[in-house]
Amino acid sequence: MTRAAGSANDHPLENYDDEEAARGALEVVRPYTMLSYRRLITLWQQIRYLDTASVPGAMVECGTWKGGACGMMVLAHRCAGDVSRPLHLFDSFQGLPEPQSEKDGDMAVRYAADRASGSLNGIGKCVGPLEDNQRLLGEIVGYPSELTHYHVGWFQDTLRTVPETVGTIALLRIDGDWYESTKICLESLYAKVSSGGIVVIDDYGKWPGCRKAVDEFLSTLARPVFLNHIDAAGRYVIVP
């Protein structure tokens, strides 16, 4: 994760398609996200593409912080008129667990104040309360409660057996920071993404453990995929 995005009005236009509409949505979600301007605008475009192309499936995020990325997704989805995609949020809602020093690197160890055994204990970083997510998505954005599903707990617990309610996925956004968190998300959910669907990796360019998990997983695929660049940290693939 990175620092919170500033006001859209403070950021120069970058000539993205549909950028003005996306900037309006960014103003709504800005207090609830740490994503960069480019990652938010790209996320808007991705959902608009999925709806225009009628790619089936849910919107899924693993690592939600306060819900801003999900808010951007549902505001983009509303532009399609038919609000129908299930939204699944996976998060401990108690921040990041400990990284593993040998896989996540020295920077992660320092970030975790030398707590780097890989145990599922919160390190007090990136804590986004469940209530903040519920406030944004339920009260401010107003996404239907029957389409909104919260999966509370560590990924290693909630994704050990993927809930049947998840079904097919149109967009999978992974923001787990560490090697093990990223790995289990890919291993558990990538196969559920529709052809033409999108997988977003938030921290590929920032945390070496995340990059390692992604590179290892992509190397196992029968068909290679192109890792598209969003900004210094973010990447995405379109599933064949």
Side-chain angles (χ1 to χ4, degrees), residues 165-221:
T165 54
V166 173
T168 302
I169 298 172
L171 187 139
L172 169 61
R173 187 175 184 280
I174 300 174
D175 192 354
D177 293 47
W178 310 144
Y179 174 87
E180 290 293 343
S181 299
T182 304
K183 177 182 178 182
I184 194 168
C185 292
L186 288 168
E187 291 180 344
S188 301
L189 298 173
Y190 185 94
K192 299 177 74 66
V193 180
S194 297
S195 175
I198 294 175
V199 179
V200 181
I201 310 293
D202 187 72
D203 293 303
Y204 182 89
K206 179 175 182 180
W207 297 114
C210 174
R211 178 189 293 263
K212 177 178 173 62
V214 172
D215 289 348
E216 288 178 354
F217 181 81
L218 294 184
S219 73
T220 69
L221 298 180

Side-chain angles (χ1 to χ4, degrees), residues 13-29:
L13 286 165
E14 296 196 17
N15 203 30
Y16 286 94
D17 295 338
D18 205 27
E19 189 170 0
E20 286 288 2
R23 284 162 72 95
L26 191 153
E27 288 299 313
V28 176
V29 306

Side-chain angles (χ1 to χ4, degrees), residues 83-101:
V83 177
S84 59
R85 293 191 189 274
L87 176 67
H88 293 270
L89 297 84
F90 289 84
D91 201 290
S92 69
F93 299 103
Q94 53 183 299
L96 293 170
E98 293 186 21
Q100 295 183 52
S101 57

Side-chain angles (χ1 to χ4, degrees), residues 31-78:
Y32 297 86
T33 182
M34 291 190 283
L35 299 188
S36 69
Y37 180 86
R38 290 179 179 178
R39 270 177 273 177
L40 287 167
I41 301 297
T42 301
L43 187 58
W44 173 277
Q45 290 187 312
Q46 289 163 344
I47 294 296
R48 297 294 295 123
Y49 148 73
L50 293 167
D51 286 338
T52 301
S54 299
V55 176
M59 301 177 290
V60 178
E61 183 172 42
C62 299
T64 69
W65 195 50
K66 295 183 178 182
C70 287
M72 197 73 173
M73 292 184 215
V74 301
L75 288 170
H77 179 45
R78 277 187 163 173

